[in-house]
Amino acid sequence: MKGFTPCLSVICAALLLATVTGTKLNVPRLRLSYKDLLSTNRSSIFSGHHGQLSLTAVFLDEYRDRLFLGGKDVLYSLLLGPTSSESKEIYWPPLPGNREDCIQTGKEPQTECANFVRLLQPYNRTHLLACGTGAFQPMCAFISVGHRGEHVFTMDPLNVENGRGKVPHDPSFPFASTFSGGELYTGLTADFLGRDSVIFRSMGGRSTMRTETDQKLLHDPKFIAAHLIPDNDDRDNDKVYFFFTEKATEAGDREGAIHTRVGRVCANDVGGQRVLVNKWSTFIKARLVCSVPGPHGIDTHFNQLEDVFLLRTKDERNPDVYAVFSTISNVFQGFAVCVYRMADIREAFNGPFAHKEGPDYQWGAYEGRVPYPRPGVCPSKITNQPGKEFGSTKDFPDSVLQFARSHPLMWRPVFPALRQPVLVKANIPYKLKQIVVDRVEAEDGHYDVMFIGTDVGTVLKVIALHSGNSLETEEVTLEELQVFKVPTPITSLDISVKRQALYVGSPAGVAQVKLHRCETYGKACAECCLARDPYCAWDGSSCSRYVPNSKRRFRRQDIRHGNPAVQCVDQNLSDLDVTEDKMVYGTENNSTFLECVPRSPQASVSWLVQRDDRKDEVKLDDRVMSTDQGLLFRRLFHQDEGVYICRSREHGFTQTLARLTLQVLPGETVDELMARDNAGLSDSFKDRSGGSYRAWMPCSSYSRGASSSQMSQSRSWFKDIIQLIGPSNLPHVEDYCERMWCNDKLRRKHKSMLEKYRQAQESARKARSKSSGERNRTPRDLRAQEGY
Ligand SMILES: *[C@@H]1O[C@H](CO)[C@@H](O)[C@H](O)[C@H]1NC(C)=O
Ligand SMILES: *[C@@H]1O[C@H](CO)[C@@H](O)[C@H](O)[C@H]1NC(C)=O
Ligand SMILES: *[C@@H]1O[C@H](CO)[C@@H](O)[C@H](O)[C@H]1NC(C)=O
Ligand SMILES: *[C@@H]1O[C@H](CO)[C@@H](O)[C@H](O)[C@H]1NC(C)=O
Ligand SMILES: *[C@@H]1O[C@H](CO)[C@@H](O)[C@H](O)[C@H]1NC(C)=O
């Protein structure tokens, strides 16, 4: 297909719309196509040994330098060494007979009745735990992966265990898991019909734990993530947190309202003695709020959780919780990223419990006496003191257990840091699906660089800047990376800080993408500075990776303001301006297009025209329009001739991008030449143009070396532009495109045609000057005088 994409057609339409209406969306500073990423070695893709790898699970093993993948009936191990790209495969189909049974029950053979690997977790020093749906009969196995340094990858297909409660039966059902202390924590639906929503703990020595079946505890939950986060140095206080959405019982009448929750259990919860036997006795949950103030004081809430990333810091008890949310309604589709502090989450859990006296009462904070030990508190040194000996949840009084089962929800929600999202995107033509975050040291402090995966195969690299003390955040999209060739949803994102790489998973495969490639921003200080990429700085001669605390004297970086006038004042700015002139021809009374695309879509473009040593700004109107891709003349006049200078401006920094000399050919001359010289034209072109060629534009850079499919892609883009410009021009669109993306043969043709035209002009001039006795005029003066 379509390797080359000037921009995705959907995105394209939105951008063009923005241009036409005069507003600029928050567009990325740099947009890199699939081809750009491959050709610069920024990205490489693995799609399995047999083409399509229906990727469903990823485990990045930084210790062993390996990437483990699970797909449909298959497991892979990839070595991540700097040079090697070795991969090993294990074929892992459902157990004999299970595929057939699954098909018998009416399930889809291709998309349901296979073994879709959903879980890959490190088990011990030599083995991974892998679980798959096994054609609606979940199963698990241990995979021998060897010690660090060896590339072992084997599985005993006979040594397979029942995977019920470990992964869902249905490959499409949401699921979250974490493995800790030899035990597996999962949030899932654990039955064939997908109705039994539970939080499970299995494996290890202790008996299996689960949530009671009660909508108060979990109401149609969609589990997104699970993580063990310690509270303090006492391991007895370790808690496992689950992030999910569920139907919001407390939302009252609003049918179908969903809320995002953070729920938790104590890792040492072993259930109650008489009540809650083998059921969680410490489960509590709170609402995670992510909202922006709206008009009339009504907040817009982003209720649907899409993904969670724990940004771990040196303090393992206090990671920052990054979460992507969506809201989808008839009038509004929006996405937001909110960041939560563990302190705020703990505070909500330490606050009042939500309570409802009876069916006809309002929800409120529980104001009665809370039994001791307070539900949600783990049995530990604190609860296990003389006089109050609760060494295990089995020692908890029944009153505590009864309270816990009737009051799982906290009254106070958890608000994000600064009480607002760090990023909001509304009415964009794609969805935000996945997030990972890297905390990057820069010249003036650290920045959290977010990598956000979309449903169209792209990854956005974004930073959010806080201006001074104000609450306002400015989001800067540094790059938009088209990681996959075709639009496909990103289903996993993993980051290796060690390798400075991102592992991007989608049904089409997994891509390794470098977090940065500073050279891409350009060869000048100003370009490097305008990029505002915390990974990069100007080192005096190139844009390169910024290394903190390095001894290099010359480091220029300005993430906060991106102001090259300050940063690059002593640098050679004239390097940036183009000096090369290009010729462009158009036909009188017809349309033509002067292409000029700034490297950064955030830059604004202005056009100057130079005639007789005078430079003027190009007057824009219905006839002459500035678009994101260049200057469009809908109807060309002879007086439009001149040298057109395209200049870009970004953060007060101006640069000349193109100098184009426009020549206007009178229509009849070309017609005449065409009629005389028609034989050499390609038949297909003749057919379409009706045998007469009226207007011509040189093949622009788009057509150089472009395949026909690339051309058709560009063509459809060009159609978009014309459609937006006005329906009156629609009939000419095909012609336009034909001329825009003309082939080499045509180009040569036109060259010779033009040559003939020039010769004709020249001889006419000679003849005239002979007869009139005038000598010193250039052809240009002549034409001007004759009123062409
Ligand atoms: C990409 O990698 C290949 C093989 O390692 C190398 O030959 C090529 O020069 C690299 N290209 C760029 C642009 O770095
Ligand atoms: C890891 O677990 C597997 C499966 O239980 C077992 O066969 C293996 O011996 C264990 N390895 C170590 C180093 O404990
Ligand atoms: C700046 O760049 C221009 C064009 O490359 C060059 O002619 C000029 O000598 C350079 N000036 C300095 C001070 O390096
Ligand atoms: C301009 O080009 C279009 C499409 O080739 C053609 O139909 C039209 O007649 C041309 N106009 C003039 C005035 O040459
Ligand atoms: C261009 O259009 C103008 C006005 O319609 C007309 O007078 C002129 O003859 C046209 N020129 C050509 C070359 O078609």
Side-chain angles (χ1 to χ4, degrees), residues 39-41 517:
S39 65
T40 54
N41 286 346
R517 197 170 181 281

Side-chain angles (χ1 to χ4, degrees), residues 620-625 632-637 639-640:
L620 300 174
D621 51 27
D622 277 359
R623 188 179 66 87
V624 185
M625 305 177 79
L632 179 74
F633 293 83
R634 294 169 67 194
R635 182 187 168 100
L636 199 55
F637 292 164
Q639 52 269 32
D640 290 327

